[in-house]
Amino acid sequence: MSLYRPVADAAARAPDALAVRDLTNSLSYGELDTRADCCLAALRAHGVRPGDRVLVWTDKTVASVAVAQAVLRCGAIHVPVPRGNPARRVAQIAADARPALVVTDHDEHIAGAVHVPCGDLFLERANGPAAAPHPVRPADPAYILYTSGSTGGPKGVCVSHGGALAFVDWACGELRLTAADRLANHASFGFDLSVFDLYAAFRAGASVHLVGETLARAAEPLVDFLLESRITVWYSVPSALVLMAEYGELLERGPGALRACVFAGERFPLKALKDLRRAWPDVRMLNWYGPTETNVCTSYEVTDADLARTTDIPIGSPVAGDAVSLEAGEIVVDGPTVMLGYWGGRPQSGPYRTGDLGRYDAEGRLEYRGRVDDMAKVRGHRVEPAEVSGVLVAHEAVRDAVVLVVGNGLDARLHAVVVPEPGCAPEFAQLRRHCSDFLPPYMSIDALHTVSGFPRTANGKVDRAVLRSVVARGAAV
């Protein structure tokens, strides 16, 4: 089985059924299947071969979904990059992935890469013969998701067809998805939550409704979307639901057709979670856990019993055939959903050490206890502070920089502590603009602190504990 097979199967069963809808367009399964085959022929005409990477730098549209299907049918590797990523960061991704082709729906280009407009792929072979998909094996790579890297640049998590489907098949069974379901896609295509939204919908023959990048951050319009689109299954980071509850009257307006609400990516503040549970007593609520390298590897279902809870809910028990254990307090995952490896690096061998700390509760369920290293979740996205500090140091007014994550969950913020170049006084707004040229919006700094030099430990490393006290005192901004 491959990630492209579910669309073809659904098209054979019910070609007129709705497959995917964006804010302005929609495609039935028959139309999506036809457009994917058309695009497949065009990709081959552009020289794309099995194993090649195709970087798709577009908005969230039905066209970009068809392109992704075509890339998979070509036996190539899909590299989705959200449109909001600045060109300089996309250039870093392209330098690592070395794509055979970059597909865009805008005018920005990456130097040295071969580009083709998304729309042209459907016109070039519109009247040509149908192209047969390339057969793939479960172990063949399907996509690469680029995340924040500890070395100062993005790194690509490579996932196989079989690894993705192990999760998708489990999720379809757990949520009892049917062709009547209507799934929302809130996450960007470069974020691993979208794997469920798209491929679980296609596996069940359901429809997936794309939430545009701008709409994804607008509370009241998001609630309108949920209700007017008659969404039955919602999956997002908790902060999106909190935003909708606080500023979009989500609790007051009710869940509409919603029957399952799934969240992942960060801790859900307990009070807000209890409020949601009380407001939606008939909606299943599930907390899923797993880094991009493993997709979802544990799950916990929230029930009315959790209304009496005084501590955060667990991340739950292993799913999708994975084995999850603790080694010296660190969460370690082995099983079918674990990545193939980081693109360009050594293949993943054996269990994956997540860098997350955990412990078992009295019922034997895992609880999340924080990070072994400095990586953190900010606004529902994984952030390596080293990547942000590397961008700051590239600014002409900054000699050195350290980025600290202050706060937890929805309150997590990125604080930049910088040593200015002599005679310079970098301003917060100036550095925010600089960050926006290199980083996605969720990685921009939230506060700026300037110091004459960094405190050091006995072995010469930056003393982050002392820096945190500087931030707590409110150093000069």
Side-chain angles (χ1 to χ4, degrees):
M1 189 67 174
S2 66
L3 277 181
Y4 63 72
R5 190 71 246 171
V7 168
D9 289 344
R13 291 193 309 267
D16 295 329
L18 177 63
V20 57
R21 184 191 300 277
D22 61 26
L23 294 181
T24 57
N25 298 294
S26 63
L27 292 175
S28 69
Y29 272 100
E31 291 168 334
L32 177 56
D33 187 49
T34 298
R35 295 192 76 176
D37 277 346
C38 172
C39 185
L40 164 61
L43 290 175
R44 284 179 174 160
H46 280 278
V48 177
R49 297 294 178 261
D52 284 345
R53 279 73 60 207
V54 177
L55 194 157
V56 183
W57 183 24
T58 63
D59 284 319
K60 289 169 62 173
T61 63
V62 297
S64 59
V65 173
V67 170
Q69 283 291 303
V71 172
L72 296 172
R73 294 178 186 206
C74 204
I77 305 171
H78 182 221
V79 185
V81 179
R83 176 67 184 94
N85 277 251
R88 290 175 180 175
R89 190 169 196 262
V90 181
Q92 287 182 295
I93 293 172
D96 185 70
R98 304 185 307 281
L101 197 65
V102 176
V103 179
T104 64
D105 57 3
H106 50 85
D107 295 331
E108 288 191 90
H109 279 196
I110 303 302
V114 179
H115 293 70
V116 62
C118 183
D120 288 3
L121 290 174
F122 304 108
L123 297 175
E124 291 173 2
R125 299 281 160 166
N127 299 313
H134 179 80
V136 297
R137 299 165 300 178
D140 287 340
Y143 57 82
I144 303 172
L145 300 181
Y146 274 85
T147 68
S148 182
S150 59
T151 58
K155 61 182 178 183
V157 176
C158 188
V159 178
S160 68
H161 285 263
L165 283 170
F167 159 66
V168 167
D169 286 347
W170 168 80
C172 284
E174 174 65 23
L175 292 172
R176 298 186 285 278
L177 296 184
T178 72
D181 277 309
R182 302 167 66 86
L183 282 68
N185 166 235
H186 180 268
S188 73
F189 290 164
F191 195 16
D192 57 348
L193 274 68
S194 66
V195 174
F196 167 79
D197 302 331
L198 295 169
Y199 297 105
F202 298 155
R203 195 79 161 104
S207 60
V208 57
H209 301 253
L210 310 182
V211 178
E213 298 289 348
T214 302
L215 177 61
R217 298 183 293 272
E220 189 172 352
L222 262 183
V223 179
D224 291 340
F225 172 88
L226 170 72
L227 300 177
E228 293 170 6
S229 299
R230 306 188 309 282
I231 299 300
T232 63
V233 180
W234 175 275
Y235 186 28
S236 75
V237 293
S239 53
L241 290 162
V242 172
L243 178 76
M244 293 161 71
E246 291 185 350
Y247 301 104
E249 296 185 341
L250 177 66
L251 307 187
E252 294 81 0
R253 297 176 68 182
L258 195 68
R259 67 176 186 82
C261 176
V262 188
F263 43 88
E266 62 189 353
R267 114 178 227 280
F268 205 134
L270 187 59
K271 182 181 182 299
L273 178 59
K274 288 182 177 181
D275 288 343
L276 190 62
R277 181 64 198 172
R278 292 188 186 97
W280 292 354
D282 298 323
V283 175
R284 290 186 69 192
M285 300 175 64
L286 296 100
N287 182 31
W288 286 355
Y289 161 81
T292 304
E293 289 84 351
T294 71
N295 207 309
V296 172
C297 58
T298 70
S299 174
Y300 176 79
E301 182 157 359
V302 179
T303 68
D304 289 345
D306 290 299
L307 294 174
R309 181 178 290 276
T310 57
T311 58
D312 287 343
I313 59 171
I315 56 176
S317 304
V319 300
D322 286 335
V324 182
S325 60
L326 294 179
E327 295 183 14
E330 183 180 1
I331 300 173
V332 178
V333 185
D334 195 11
T337 73
V338 174
M339 67 172 179
L340 293 173
Y342 296 112
W343 182 254
R346 292 179 298 177
Q348 173 66 25
S349 177
Y352 175 74
R353 304 185 70 93
T354 65
D356 290 335
L357 296 172
R359 71 179 182 190
Y360 295 108
D361 67 10
E363 285 74 38
R365 299 167 303 202
L366 270 175
E367 295 179 332
Y368 177 80
R369 303 298 295 168
R371 286 291 305 168
V372 172
D373 54 25
D374 292 323
M375 192 180 74
K377 288 291 182 72
V378 179
R379 291 175 275 272
H381 295 268
R382 191 169 80 173
V383 172
E384 287 281 3
E387 184 177 0
V388 185
S389 60
V391 167
L392 291 171
V393 171
H395 192 276
E396 60 185 8
V398 177
R399 174 182 291 184
D400 205 354
V402 169
V403 173
L404 303 172
V405 178
V406 178
N408 298 300
L410 300 179
D411 298 321
R413 296 294 182 268
L414 294 173
H415 286 245
V417 186
V418 306
V419 179
E421 290 286 359
C424 294
E427 298 178 352
F428 174 63
Q430 178 186 30
L431 294 185
R432 283 270 296 185
R433 286 194 298 272
H434 174 71
C435 285
S436 70
D437 287 337
F438 294 87
L439 301 168
Y442 66 83
M443 291 177 70
S444 284
I445 60 173
D446 299 295
L448 173 65
H449 310 265
T450 56
V451 294
S452 58
F454 293 137
R456 303 281 174 174
T457 62
N459 60 9
K461 294 183 178 181
V462 174
D463 193 330
R464 290 175 174 268
V466 173
L467 275 184
R468 287 187 180 279
S469 69
V470 171
V471 169
R473 291 198 307 269
V477 177

